[in-house]
Amino acid sequence: MTTRTGRRLATVLLGSATALLGFAAPAAAAPAGGGLDADVSVGRLVLDPTERGYRGDLPITVTNLGRVDTYFSVTIVEPVAGSIGNLSPDSPCGFQGLQDNRRVVNCLVPGPNLKPGERRTFSVAFQALTTPRDVAMTATGGQVSVNVGDGSPEVADGESFVARFRSTSGSLRNPVPYVQDSQARASITTAGAATLVRQEDGSYQGRLPVTVRWSGDAAHDFLYVDATSLPAGVAIWGTDPQDLPSFFTNFVVPGGRFMAGEERSFDVLLRAEPGTTAGDLGSVTFELSTRWDSIAVADADPADNAATFNVTAADAS
């Protein structure tokens, strides 16, 4: 049985993208003192084709040009929406909203305070969940700036960068612009009916096979399903498998973000309260939506974002 709290899904998943990407909260404010200055430089971001989209690392070097020991943070604007991952080595990070639909992330420079003149290099991982192509591509708009402390509004230095997608043949030559989908392309289907069987405690329980398909490469954190017209006493009791909380009338599609072209099947667990009269309980509609940074993303074909099924309670299997 799914463990539940009294909170709504929006509350639990506030900042859910942070959890999905493994980011932590920012650290405390920067120490006071004069003579604080820094330089930041970035290497090349080359995204190589893999079995699951493209992956690559961006090297970043921060140099303390000031006169005192201190720490710095970097603010990163991703060049491809939904592509930014963790720092290596690990360091606390926090999201700062969207810029042109792309994430802005602030991260502490890993390690102890930098001494005057000290230079430190680390990397940021990126993954673009789009189908690898036989041509090289580029995506512009990436930015890195360095701040004193953990997000001071005063920018000490900044530099832009480009994401270069290597072709499936290994080439970076003659690239074309990478154009990411702005609309979701998701669909949902169900097995058609759910039968709930009476349990020892008098309740009725059953499961409904569900399949969610994802085409395209629009930025998203998760796919969310809301149940409408649930019969009285019938509730969603979880999913199998399950990796995020479900609630009585909604659930998150398990498995996290989708790769372009991915299809995912799972079971939705349903329960009817004791005292329910056996027989036809009515129909339920599952409505699928795509969420990106707590925003509902428009779907290119809303007609396939809903699936209706019938629910029956039976005293014996």
Side-chain angles (χ1 to χ4, degrees), residues 83-217:
S83 64
I84 195 167
N86 287 339
L87 266 66
S88 180
D90 289 339
S91 182
C93 297
F95 290 109
Q96 295 188 331
L98 300 179
Q99 177 177 307
D100 298 328
N101 203 47
R102 292 170 289 129
R103 278 220 165 92
V104 181
V105 179
N106 179 262
C107 303
L108 287 177
V109 172
N113 287 0
L114 275 74
K115 300 180 182 301
E118 182 180 358
R119 175 179 298 175
R120 187 169 300 159
T121 298
F122 53 96
S123 64
V124 183
F126 289 86
Q127 181 182 29
L129 295 178
T130 189
T131 303
R133 296 160 173 78
D134 59 3
V135 296
M137 299 182 292
T138 58
T140 61
Q143 299 174 24
V144 177
S145 58
V146 62
N147 311 74
V148 177
D150 60 351
S152 165
E154 182 179 354
V155 175
D157 191 28
E159 192 168 324
S160 62
F161 66 95
V162 174
R164 296 173 171 85
F165 294 73
R166 196 183 298 277
S167 74
T168 52
S169 64
S171 175
L172 289 172
R173 300 180 60 184
N174 303 317
V176 300
Y178 167 62
V179 180
Q180 188 173 16
D181 288 342
S182 60
Q183 291 185 308
R185 298 179 182 274
S187 65
I188 184 172
T189 56
T190 69
T195 299
L196 311 186
V197 179
R198 183 180 176 87
Q199 307 297 304
E200 290 184 0
D201 65 355
S203 67
Y204 293 82
Q205 296 182 25
R207 56 180 63 218
L208 176 75
V210 173
T211 297
V212 172
R213 298 175 180 86
W214 177 262
S215 302
D217 59 8

Side-chain angles (χ1 to χ4, degrees), residues 4 77 148 179 209 240 254 274 310:
R4 291 176 171 80
V77 181
V148 177
V179 180
D240 183 18
N310 199 64

Side-chain angles (χ1 to χ4, degrees), residues 186-273:
S187 65
I188 184 172
T189 56
T190 69
T195 299
L196 311 186
V197 179
R198 183 180 176 87
Q199 307 297 304
E200 290 184 0
D201 65 355
S203 67
Y204 293 82
Q205 296 182 25
R207 56 180 63 218
L208 176 75
V210 173
T211 297
V212 172
R213 298 175 180 86
W214 177 262
S215 302
D217 59 8
H220 65 289
D221 292 319
F222 57 89
L223 272 61
Y224 170 84
V225 176
D226 190 65
T228 63
S229 304
L230 275 170
V234 176
I236 294 172
W237 215 241
T239 63
D240 183 18
Q242 180 158 347
D243 50 21
L244 284 173
S246 64
F247 293 81
F248 299 117
T249 62
N250 50 60
F251 61 89
V252 174
V253 175
R257 296 189 301 155
F258 278 74
M259 170 67 190
E262 183 177 355
E263 180 177 291
R264 197 174 294 169
S265 295
F266 55 96
D267 287 349
V268 175
L269 310 181
L270 299 168
R271 181 181 184 274
E273 294 289 340

